[in-house]
Amino acid sequence: MCSNVHVLPLQFGFNGKMRFNCVMKPGHVTRHFRFGLILGFLAATCSLPSAVSQRPISSLDTTTIAEQYLLSAANQERAARGLSVLQRDPQLARAAAGHAREMAAHRSISHQFQGEAELTDRGSRAGVPFSVISENVGEAPSVVQIHDMWMHSEHHRANLLDPSIDSAGISVIARGGELYAVEDFVRLVRSFSLEDQEAAIESMVLQSGRMALASDPDATSIARRTCAMSTGFAGSAKPWFVMRFTSDSLTQLPDQLKSRVASGRYRRAAVGACAGSRSSFTSYSFAVLLYP
């Protein structure tokens, strides 16, 4: 049995015993800086004929043998290719468990059932701060079969081996001799105070050019207010250049900003962080003001 649901055109073949559901989710892009590209596919989903049964599984706060196996198997595949191993995220595991229960209740596999939140909302509502999220779902009598099918499906495998992810939430629910498995993958965005965020950007600005931080005691406050504005700038002193950008990382500046800082045209800089826009995806938001 086969089906295919997607947003962008896809080209791949089908196995008669496999069901596929794929969704394209583009990353958020601002005018200045792209902070994340969400996986091109939510993975192919698979259904296998009867084989080995597993014990019922229902715990949300502890991992079961089946869930431990899927995480271990994923990490073995990643380690064999020089990729970082995934850490279990309990909040993401709860989101996966909710969806696995839905699949078991429907005795079917899907990335979203009628009345159910979509993947990004499920992760966000579980309290997971992420910039990348993807999902594999599958149905089979054993998790060994499920993992094997995922690794033999191009889009499942791409999700599992994505180098940009760092955490996973896995749930397996048993019903009627079948296992319903959900693997949710994310790249977590760590929580930092505005001061720590600003310090990280300030350090990179100072390293990139010959300039000093603005000495005005209100400089940070002005930059923060500018960050919260869609256009223009706060304060009476007019900056020669203003850049607002969002990022899921505190380790690199946008290329345009690096070029401006290194140009030698500016002598002072002010950096302000602010709360990002309301979205399922988590990011840091900044304004950098450059003065002569």
Side-chain angles (χ1 to χ4, degrees):
M1 179 166 54
C2 303
S3 66
N4 179 38
V5 179
H6 58 84
V7 174
L8 297 184
L10 304 177
Q11 295 291 332
F12 50 81
F14 294 95
N15 181 303
K17 296 179 180 177
M18 301 177 68
R19 293 181 286 181
F20 289 85
N21 290 302
C22 303
V23 179
M24 179 77 73
K25 292 210 171 283
H28 173 66
V29 180
T30 70
R31 183 166 64 91
H32 297 300
F33 190 55
R34 183 175 63 186
F35 75 79
L37 176 63
I38 310 309
L39 289 179
F41 306 95
L42 290 186
T45 60
C46 310
S47 178
L48 294 173
S50 298
V52 182
S53 62
Q54 292 275 352
R55 65 181 178 83
I57 301 160
S58 60
S59 175
L60 297 182
D61 297 316
T62 59
T63 58
T64 64
I65 293 175
E67 292 158 356
Q68 291 172 17
Y69 169 82
L70 288 178
L71 180 59
S72 176
N75 280 334
Q76 287 181 13
E77 302 285 3
R78 292 176 64 86
R81 294 162 175 82
L83 300 171
S84 62
V85 298
L86 304 174
Q87 302 299 316
R88 177 182 184 270
D89 185 275
Q91 294 171 302
L92 190 60
R94 292 188 182 96
H99 186 56
R101 288 195 300 270
E102 287 289 334
M103 294 201 307
H106 286 82
R107 295 180 181 265
S108 179
I109 53 174
S110 174
H111 289 293
Q112 183 180 17
F113 293 98
Q114 185 174 4
E116 184 187 26
E118 66 167 346
L119 173 62
T120 55
D121 288 338
R122 296 198 301 267
S124 178
R125 291 176 185 179
V128 183
F130 58 84
S131 60
V132 172
I133 188 167
S134 60
E135 180 176 81
N136 287 350
V137 301
E139 172 192 358
S142 81
V143 288
V144 175
Q145 288 176 302
I146 291 174
H147 176 74
D148 183 66
M149 292 291 284
W150 282 342
M151 287 304 297
H152 284 85
S153 165
E154 177 185 356
H155 305 302
H156 277 115
R157 188 172 61 250
N159 282 349
L160 196 149
L161 299 178
D162 180 7
S164 72
I165 59 174
D166 56 28
S167 302
I170 298 174
S171 180
V172 182
I173 303 291
R175 181 177 181 182
E178 288 288 289
L179 296 182
Y180 298 87
V182 176
E183 283 185 333
D184 287 342
F185 304 112
V186 297
R187 177 177 177 177
L188 290 177
V189 177
R190 294 180 60 189
S191 176
F192 293 98
S193 68
L194 294 183
E195 291 79 8
D196 287 341
Q197 295 176 40
E198 290 159 353
I201 301 301
E202 288 169 350
S203 176
M204 289 186 287
V205 167
L206 294 178
Q207 292 173 9
S208 299
R210 298 177 181 177
M211 64 174 55
L213 296 177
S215 58
D216 183 342
D218 295 327
T220 298
S221 174
I222 289 171
R224 286 183 180 180
R225 296 196 328 254
T226 300
C227 178
M229 298 165 61
S230 58
T231 61
F233 59 91
S236 57
K238 182 178 180 180
W240 278 15
F241 178 76
V242 176
M243 171 169 278
R244 297 175 180 84
F245 66 96
T246 60
S247 175
D248 64 354
S249 169
L250 297 177
T251 60
Q252 99 178 40
L253 298 176
D255 289 341
Q256 184 183 4
L257 179 58
K258 287 192 290 186
S259 176
R260 290 277 186 165
V261 168
S263 70
R265 297 176 56 196
Y266 311 98
R267 294 291 178 264
R268 297 179 299 124
V271 176
C274 60
S277 60
R278 294 188 177 183
S279 167
S280 296
F281 297 96
T282 302
S283 64
Y284 309 112
S285 296
F286 300 100
V288 177
L289 288 65
L290 302 182
Y291 299 92

mmCIF file of all heavy atoms in Angstrom, residues 201-229:
data_model
loop_
_atom_site.group_PDB
_atom_site.id
_atom_site.type_symbol
_atom_site.label_atom_id
_atom_site.label_comp_id
_atom_site.label_asym_id
_atom_site.label_seq_id
_atom_site.Cartn_x
_atom_site.Cartn_y
_atom_site.Cartn_z
ATOM 1 N N ILE A 201 28.036 38.145 20.564
ATOM 2 C CA ILE A 201 28.091 38.913 19.321
ATOM 3 C C ILE A 201 29.123 40.035 19.418
ATOM 4 O O ILE A 201 29.881 40.291 18.472
ATOM 5 C CB ILE A 201 26.704 39.489 18.982
ATOM 6 C CG1 ILE A 201 25.674 38.347 18.824
ATOM 7 C CG2 ILE A 201 26.765 40.318 17.702
ATOM 8 C CD1 ILE A 201 26.030 37.342 17.756
ATOM 9 N N GLU A 202 29.186 40.701 20.553
ATOM 10 C CA GLU A 202 30.172 41.768 20.744
ATOM 11 C C GLU A 202 31.590 41.246 20.560
ATOM 12 O O GLU A 202 32.433 41.908 19.930
ATOM 13 C CB GLU A 202 30.015 42.381 22.136
ATOM 14 C CG GLU A 202 28.767 43.232 22.293
ATOM 15 C CD GLU A 202 28.499 43.609 23.731
ATOM 16 O OE1 GLU A 202 29.178 43.060 24.634
ATOM 17 O OE2 GLU A 202 27.603 44.448 23.971
ATOM 18 N N SER A 203 31.863 40.081 21.119
ATOM 19 C CA SER A 203 33.200 39.500 20.992
ATOM 20 C C SER A 203 33.575 39.278 19.539
ATOM 21 O O SER A 203 34.696 39.587 19.112
ATOM 22 C CB SER A 203 33.262 38.177 21.766
ATOM 23 O OG SER A 203 34.514 37.544 21.592
ATOM 24 N N MET A 204 32.636 38.774 18.733
ATOM 25 C CA MET A 204 32.924 38.528 17.320
ATOM 26 C C MET A 204 33.069 39.830 16.545
ATOM 27 O O MET A 204 33.898 39.929 15.630
ATOM 28 C CB MET A 204 31.825 37.646 16.715
ATOM 29 C CG MET A 204 31.858 36.207 17.208
ATOM 30 S SD MET A 204 30.676 35.151 16.352
ATOM 31 C CE MET A 204 29.129 35.732 17.059
ATOM 32 N N VAL A 205 32.274 40.852 16.904
ATOM 33 C CA VAL A 205 32.391 42.143 16.243
ATOM 34 C C VAL A 205 33.774 42.745 16.500
ATOM 35 O O VAL A 205 34.444 43.237 15.587
ATOM 36 C CB VAL A 205 31.283 43.099 16.723
ATOM 37 C CG1 VAL A 205 31.570 44.535 16.296
ATOM 38 C CG2 VAL A 205 29.930 42.660 16.176
ATOM 39 N N LEU A 206 34.220 42.677 17.744
ATOM 40 C CA LEU A 206 35.530 43.242 18.091
ATOM 41 C C LEU A 206 36.659 42.486 17.404
ATOM 42 O O LEU A 206 37.665 43.084 17.011
ATOM 43 C CB LEU A 206 35.717 43.216 19.608
ATOM 44 C CG LEU A 206 34.776 44.117 20.414
ATOM 45 C CD1 LEU A 206 35.030 43.963 21.904
ATOM 46 C CD2 LEU A 206 34.929 45.577 20.003
ATOM 47 N N GLN A 207 36.504 41.190 17.261
ATOM 48 C CA GLN A 207 37.532 40.386 16.607
ATOM 49 C C GLN A 207 37.578 40.630 15.100
ATOM 50 O O GLN A 207 38.612 40.439 14.469
ATOM 51 C CB GLN A 207 37.299 38.902 16.870
ATOM 52 C CG GLN A 207 37.511 38.482 18.313
ATOM 53 C CD GLN A 207 37.108 37.039 18.567
ATOM 54 O OE1 GLN A 207 36.823 36.289 17.630
ATOM 55 N NE2 GLN A 207 37.062 36.645 19.827
ATOM 56 N N SER A 208 36.448 41.054 14.531
ATOM 57 C CA SER A 208 36.358 41.188 13.075
ATOM 58 C C SER A 208 36.839 42.535 12.551
ATOM 59 O O SER A 208 37.066 42.685 11.352
ATOM 60 C CB SER A 208 34.904 40.953 12.614
ATOM 61 O OG SER A 208 34.487 39.646 12.953
ATOM 62 N N GLY A 209 36.971 43.538 13.403
ATOM 63 C CA GLY A 209 37.357 44.856 12.919
ATOM 64 C C GLY A 209 38.000 45.697 13.991
ATOM 65 O O GLY A 209 38.019 45.340 15.179
ATOM 66 N N ARG A 210 38.538 46.833 13.577
ATOM 67 C CA ARG A 210 39.190 47.758 14.502
ATOM 68 C C ARG A 210 38.172 48.755 15.016
ATOM 69 O O ARG A 210 38.049 49.866 14.509
ATOM 70 C CB ARG A 210 40.326 48.482 13.785
ATOM 71 C CG ARG A 210 41.432 47.562 13.296
ATOM 72 C CD ARG A 210 42.476 48.356 12.536
ATOM 73 N NE ARG A 210 43.533 47.482 12.036
ATOM 74 C CZ ARG A 210 44.548 47.901 11.296
ATOM 75 N NH1 ARG A 210 44.623 49.197 10.962
ATOM 76 N NH2 ARG A 210 45.477 47.053 10.882
ATOM 77 N N MET A 211 37.443 48.374 16.010
ATOM 78 C CA MET A 211 36.444 49.267 16.585
ATOM 79 C C MET A 211 36.245 48.937 18.042
ATOM 80 O O MET A 211 36.667 47.883 18.526
ATOM 81 C CB MET A 211 35.120 49.183 15.820
ATOM 82 C CG MET A 211 34.428 47.840 15.877
ATOM 83 S SD MET A 211 32.801 47.925 15.095
ATOM 84 C CE MET A 211 33.209 48.546 13.486
ATOM 85 N N ALA A 212 35.609 49.851 18.743
ATOM 86 C CA ALA A 212 35.317 49.679 20.159
ATOM 87 C C ALA A 212 33.813 49.635 20.354
ATOM 88 O O ALA A 212 33.037 50.045 19.478
ATOM 89 C CB ALA A 212 35.918 50.834 20.955
ATOM 90 N N LEU A 213 33.412 49.115 21.485
ATOM 91 C CA LEU A 213 31.994 49.139 21.822
ATOM 92 C C LEU A 213 31.605 50.555 22.219
ATOM 93 O O LEU A 213 32.392 51.286 22.835
ATOM 94 C CB LEU A 213 31.701 48.161 22.958
ATOM 95 C CG LEU A 213 31.937 46.680 22.656
ATOM 96 C CD1 LEU A 213 31.672 45.843 23.893
ATOM 97 C CD2 LEU A 213 31.067 46.220 21.495
ATOM 98 N N ALA A 214 30.405 50.964 21.872
ATOM 99 C CA ALA A 214 29.920 52.300 22.208
ATOM 100 C C ALA A 214 29.969 52.502 23.720
ATOM 101 O O ALA A 214 29.527 51.639 24.488
ATOM 102 C CB ALA A 214 28.504 52.492 21.687
ATOM 103 N N SER A 215 30.539 53.625 24.154
ATOM 104 C CA SER A 215 30.720 53.883 25.586
ATOM 105 C C SER A 215 29.489 54.496 26.243
ATOM 106 O O SER A 215 29.397 54.563 27.467
ATOM 107 C CB SER A 215 31.923 54.809 25.797
ATOM 108 O OG SER A 215 31.743 56.030 25.088
ATOM 109 N N ASP A 216 28.545 54.958 25.449
ATOM 110 C CA ASP A 216 27.305 55.534 25.973
ATOM 111 C C ASP A 216 26.621 54.509 26.869
ATOM 112 O O ASP A 216 26.359 53.375 26.448
ATOM 113 C CB ASP A 216 26.392 55.912 24.809
ATOM 114 C CG ASP A 216 25.103 56.579 25.267
ATOM 115 O OD1 ASP A 216 24.757 56.450 26.451
ATOM 116 O OD2 ASP A 216 24.447 57.217 24.433
ATOM 117 N N PRO A 217 26.302 54.875 28.133
ATOM 118 C CA PRO A 217 25.655 53.907 29.035
ATOM 119 C C PRO A 217 24.309 53.413 28.528
ATOM 120 O O PRO A 217 23.832 52.357 28.956
ATOM 121 C CB PRO A 217 25.508 54.689 30.350
ATOM 122 C CG PRO A 217 25.602 56.134 29.968
ATOM 123 C CD PRO A 217 26.532 56.174 28.796
ATOM 124 N N ASP A 218 23.681 54.174 27.626
ATOM 125 C CA ASP A 218 22.394 53.764 27.078
ATOM 126 C C ASP A 218 22.534 52.997 25.762
ATOM 127 O O ASP A 218 21.520 52.658 25.136
ATOM 128 C CB ASP A 218 21.505 54.993 26.832
ATOM 129 C CG ASP A 218 21.124 55.699 28.123
ATOM 130 O OD1 ASP A 218 20.975 54.995 29.147
ATOM 131 O OD2 ASP A 218 20.996 56.928 28.105
ATOM 132 N N ALA A 219 23.771 52.728 25.340
ATOM 133 C CA ALA A 219 23.990 52.121 24.021
ATOM 134 C C ALA A 219 23.299 50.769 23.894
ATOM 135 O O ALA A 219 22.656 50.479 22.876
ATOM 136 C CB ALA A 219 25.487 51.978 23.757
ATOM 137 N N THR A 220 23.420 49.932 24.926
ATOM 138 C CA THR A 220 22.804 48.605 24.854
ATOM 139 C C THR A 220 21.286 48.712 24.834
ATOM 140 O O THR A 220 20.603 48.014 24.074
ATOM 141 C CB THR A 220 23.257 47.726 26.035
ATOM 142 O OG1 THR A 220 24.674 47.536 25.965
ATOM 143 C CG2 THR A 220 22.568 46.372 25.984
ATOM 144 N N SER A 221 20.754 49.602 25.668
ATOM 145 C CA SER A 221 19.308 49.800 25.703
ATOM 146 C C SER A 221 18.793 50.278 24.345
ATOM 147 O O SER A 221 17.751 49.808 23.858
ATOM 148 C CB SER A 221 18.945 50.818 26.789
ATOM 149 O OG SER A 221 17.566 51.123 26.754
ATOM 150 N N ILE A 222 19.535 51.198 23.716
ATOM 151 C CA ILE A 222 19.138 51.700 22.398
ATOM 152 C C ILE A 222 19.187 50.579 21.369
ATOM 153 O O ILE A 222 18.276 50.434 20.535
ATOM 154 C CB ILE A 222 20.065 52.858 21.984
ATOM 155 C CG1 ILE A 222 19.763 54.095 22.832
ATOM 156 C CG2 ILE A 222 19.916 53.175 20.499
ATOM 157 C CD1 ILE A 222 20.751 55.219 22.649
ATOM 158 N N ALA A 223 20.232 49.753 21.436
ATOM 159 C CA ALA A 223 20.351 48.640 20.491
ATOM 160 C C ALA A 223 19.242 47.621 20.705
ATOM 161 O O ALA A 223 18.708 47.054 19.746
ATOM 162 C CB ALA A 223 21.720 47.986 20.628
ATOM 163 N N ARG A 224 18.881 47.372 21.943
ATOM 164 C CA ARG A 224 17.795 46.423 22.224
ATOM 165 C C ARG A 224 16.470 46.958 21.670
ATOM 166 O O ARG A 224 15.682 46.199 21.108
ATOM 167 C CB ARG A 224 17.677 46.171 23.729
ATOM 168 C CG ARG A 224 18.781 45.302 24.296
ATOM 169 C CD ARG A 224 18.560 45.027 25.775
ATOM 170 N NE ARG A 224 19.622 44.180 26.330
ATOM 171 C CZ ARG A 224 19.685 43.790 27.602
ATOM 172 N NH1 ARG A 224 18.737 44.189 28.451
ATOM 173 N NH2 ARG A 224 20.680 43.023 28.008
ATOM 174 N N ARG A 225 16.214 48.241 21.860
ATOM 175 C CA ARG A 225 14.977 48.810 21.331
ATOM 176 C C ARG A 225 14.984 48.779 19.816
ATOM 177 O O ARG A 225 13.957 48.541 19.178
ATOM 178 C CB ARG A 225 14.796 50.244 21.856
ATOM 179 C CG ARG A 225 14.637 50.273 23.362
ATOM 180 C CD ARG A 225 14.079 51.563 23.932
ATOM 181 N NE ARG A 225 14.406 52.783 23.235
ATOM 182 C CZ ARG A 225 15.282 53.692 23.669
ATOM 183 N NH1 ARG A 225 15.983 53.470 24.770
ATOM 184 N NH2 ARG A 225 15.465 54.822 22.999
ATOM 185 N N THR A 226 16.140 49.005 19.224
ATOM 186 C CA THR A 226 16.259 48.914 17.766
ATOM 187 C C THR A 226 15.996 47.500 17.296
ATOM 188 O O THR A 226 15.357 47.274 16.258
ATOM 189 C CB THR A 226 17.657 49.383 17.318
ATOM 190 O OG1 THR A 226 17.854 50.734 17.726
ATOM 191 C CG2 THR A 226 17.811 49.268 15.811
ATOM 192 N N CYS A 227 16.476 46.526 18.055
ATOM 193 C CA CYS A 227 16.251 45.115 17.713
ATOM 194 C C CYS A 227 14.768 44.793 17.641
ATOM 195 O O CYS A 227 14.324 44.032 16.772
ATOM 196 C CB CYS A 227 16.943 44.231 18.750
ATOM 197 S SG CYS A 227 16.724 42.449 18.503
ATOM 198 N N ALA A 228 13.997 45.389 18.542
ATOM 199 C CA ALA A 228 12.554 45.111 18.596
ATOM 200 C C ALA A 228 11.773 45.865 17.528
ATOM 201 O O ALA A 228 10.588 45.589 17.317
ATOM 202 C CB ALA A 228 12.014 45.458 19.973
ATOM 203 N N MET A 229 12.418 46.804 16.849
ATOM 204 C CA MET A 229 11.753 47.581 15.798
ATOM 205 C C MET A 229 11.902 46.880 14.452
ATOM 206 O O MET A 229 12.898 46.207 14.199
ATOM 207 C CB MET A 229 12.368 48.982 15.721
ATOM 208 C CG MET A 229 12.209 49.801 16.994
ATOM 209 S SD MET A 229 13.298 51.273 17.037
ATOM 210 C CE MET A 229 12.718 52.188 15.606
#
